[in-house]
């Protein structure tokens, strides 16, 4: 019966076994995974926009080639994640429809504008850096297909983080104007990057259950702390200042104390009020509409081939 199946499921999770698509799972576990994986997939897809916006303006052929590869990687991540979510019984069409209708969430970070070239390096450094911090533990998430999708994604995110830091490093070694541009980008992206980890643990409705089911392996605050601890020395190494007057080393906890992002702004952006949220949704809808002929042609081609094969 259900109580027995639930106990067996929980024992498997507690033993760090992967749960696979055909295994029995509680409805709420399935629902939570669909929610998290589909949001994650949407984030990868919408995340192509702020950077895609700079491909034509990258300052050299080398930077352009790197940026093209990175944006293409994000599309791939979105596809692996949609596939992982599909193993739970939701279709990619349903997930896409929810995104295009403005009903699905995606990471708040992608609702901020990329104003200068320094923003592109800073996104690689901070945004992909935060993404790795969150995604490395997800390689051990309890749902097999999600965990396995994370393996390749983390390898690619690691390249993204490094190329970003290297681009910022180049600006910091450049003219005073270039260095100022890097500092300005850090000032604007620091707090939104901290928001990527989600609300503080005591304001996070999903954390407790997701930790118990080992969907999440660390809490939002724990990952945010790790990110700050890793990133502050990186900023110092290239002569940049983290825009947080409360930031200081805490010997006792062997980590930094730091200030809190503006959580009212965070919730407003979660609800769709981001500075460029409307632009992002318009761009996704336009891409979908503009791509209709490709989908139609692919279906017509497949139908023709099926007819030929049947003949
Ligand atoms: N942006 C948008 N929504 C957010 C964010 C954020 N930065 N942080 C939290 N939320 C939403 C949650 O989705 C949740 O809403 P929901 O219940 O309607 O889904 C609500 O705020 C409350 O947050 P939590 O209870 O903390 O939610 P959760 O346990 O899902 O934790 C987290 C949020 C940490 C983002 C988790 O879902 C996760 O680890 N996701 C996988 C990683 C990911 O999505 N990364 C995307 C950005 S990285 C990249 O794409 C390059």
């Amino acid at each position: 019966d259900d109580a027995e199946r639930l106990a067996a499921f929980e024992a498997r999770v507690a033993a760090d076994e992967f749960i696979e698509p055909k295994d029995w799972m509680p409805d709420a576990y399935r629902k939570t995974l669909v929610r998290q994986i589909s949001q994650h997939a949407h984030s990868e897809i919408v995340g192509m926009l702020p950077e895609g916006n700079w491909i034509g303006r990258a300052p050299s052929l080398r930077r352009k080639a790197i940026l093209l590869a990175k944006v293409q990687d994000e599309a791939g991540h979105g596809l692996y994640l949609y596939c992982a979510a599909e193993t739970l019984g939701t279709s990619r069409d349903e997930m896409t429809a929810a995104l295009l209708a403005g009903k699905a969430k995606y990471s708040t970070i992608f609702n901020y504008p990329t104003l200068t070239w320094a923003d592109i390096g800073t996104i690689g450094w901070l945004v992909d850096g935060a993404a790795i911090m969150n995604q490395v533990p997800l390689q051990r998430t309890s749902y097999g297909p999600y965990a396995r999708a994370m393996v390749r994604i983390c390898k690619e995110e690691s390249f993204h983080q490094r190329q970003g830091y290297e681009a910022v490093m180049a600006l910091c070694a450049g003219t005073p104007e270039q260095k100022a541009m890097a500092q300005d980008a850090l000032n604007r992206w620091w707090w939104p990057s901290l928001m990527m980890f989600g609300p503080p643990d005591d304001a996070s409705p999903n954390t407790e259950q997701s930790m118990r089911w080992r969907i999440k392996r660390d809490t939002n605050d724990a990952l945010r702390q790790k990110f700050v601890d890793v990133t502050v020395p990186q900023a110092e190494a290239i002569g940049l200042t983290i825009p947080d007057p409360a930031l200081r080393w805490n010997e006792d906890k062997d980590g930094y104390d730091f200030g809190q992002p503006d959580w009212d702004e965070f919730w407003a952006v979660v609800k769709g009020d981001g500075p460029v949220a409307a632009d992002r949704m318009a761009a996704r809808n336009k891409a979908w509409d503009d791509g209709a002929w490709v989908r139609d042609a692919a279906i017509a081609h497949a139908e023709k081939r099926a007819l030929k094969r049947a003949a």
Side-chain angles (χ1 to χ4, degrees):
D1 65 350
D2 263 11
E4 240 166 67
R5 282 193 297 190
L6 183 63
F9 168 86
E10 288 186 338
R12 286 185 62 197
V13 167
D16 269 336
E17 275 178 48
F18 284 131
I19 304 300
E20 296 297 339
K22 292 197 169 131
D23 296 341
W24 184 87
M25 61 186 83
D27 285 344
Y29 176 83
R30 185 185 300 276
K31 236 175 112 188
T32 300
L33 279 168
V34 169
R35 176 183 66 77
Q36 178 166 326
I37 302 172
S38 65
Q39 288 178 7
H40 195 165
H42 296 326
S43 301
E44 301 283 357
I45 297 300
V46 178
M48 295 165 76
L49 295 169
E51 292 178 293
N53 177 38
W54 273 89
I55 290 172
R57 291 178 286 168
S60 69
L61 181 60
R62 176 172 171 264
R63 295 290 179 200
K64 195 192 293 269
I66 294 171
L67 191 56
L68 262 174
K70 177 181 191 297
V71 172
Q72 219 163 14
D73 284 351
E74 309 291 0
H77 298 177
L79 299 188
Y80 315 148
L81 287 162
Y82 284 128
C83 289
E86 281 189 317
T87 64
L88 292 156
T90 174
S91 73
R92 184 161 154 207
D93 281 348
E94 282 172 83
M95 292 183 270
T96 303
L99 175 67
L100 296 179
K103 286 189 207 141
K105 290 195 174 74
Y106 57 86
S107 184
T108 45
I109 194 75
F110 302 118
N111 285 327
Y112 292 85
T114 39
L115 303 179
T116 72
W117 170 250
D119 289 25
I120 299 305
T122 305
I123 286 180
W125 173 29
L126 300 182
V127 174
D128 293 271
I132 304 176
M133 202 53 88
N134 167 283
Q135 289 172 169
V136 165
L138 288 177
Q139 294 175 107
R140 292 180 298 111
T141 187
S142 57
Y143 187 57
Y146 191 24
R148 289 187 289 274
M150 281 302 128
V151 175
R152 177 158 172 195
I153 291 181
C154 285
K155 287 190 181 142
E156 292 176 347
E157 296 290 9
S158 164
F159 151 65
H160 298 171
Q161 193 274 348
R162 282 163 200 218
Q163 68 80 34
Y165 187 61
E166 198 261 343
V168 177
M169 204 193 278
L171 289 173
C172 290
T175 63
E177 288 80 4
Q178 286 172 322
K179 184 154 188 197
M181 202 161 87
Q183 181 64 54
D184 169 63
L186 175 58
N187 293 348
R188 283 180 292 106
W189 288 94
W190 177 251
W191 297 108
S193 297
L194 294 191
M195 293 176 189
M196 286 176 69
F197 296 96
D201 292 349
D202 59 14
S204 161
N206 300 304
T207 292
E208 201 188 326
Q209 182 59 260
S210 288
M211 291 289 288
R212 208 158 36 225
W213 277 334
R214 303 203 176 174
I215 292 173
K216 287 167 88 163
R217 304 301 314 242
D218 298 277
T219 72
N220 301 357
D221 285 332
L223 290 173
R224 194 167 12 251
Q225 178 74 51
K226 267 196 187 169
F227 174 76
V228 171
D229 291 346
V230 163
T231 310
V232 171
Q234 293 171 347
E236 283 169 356
I238 51 177
L240 294 179
T241 307
I242 303 283
D244 178 359
L247 185 76
R248 62 184 53 83
W249 180 253
N250 180 332
E251 198 65 52
D252 293 339
K253 75 172 186 191
D254 196 27
Y256 286 92
D257 290 331
F258 55 94
Q260 290 294 305
D262 178 345
W263 291 116
D264 292 337
E265 175 184 319
F266 167 79
W267 289 114
V269 180
V270 168
K271 292 190 181 94
D273 258 350
V276 292
D279 296 353
R280 299 293 185 236
M281 289 315 301
R284 282 314 314 155
N285 273 288
K286 181 173 184 311
W288 179 256
D289 295 343
D290 290 353
W293 71 270
V294 180
R295 295 188 297 276
D296 291 346
I299 289 167
H301 179 68
E303 283 171 354
K304 245 195 223 165
R305 285 186 56 155
L307 275 178
K308 256 193 213 155
R309 235 178 279 132

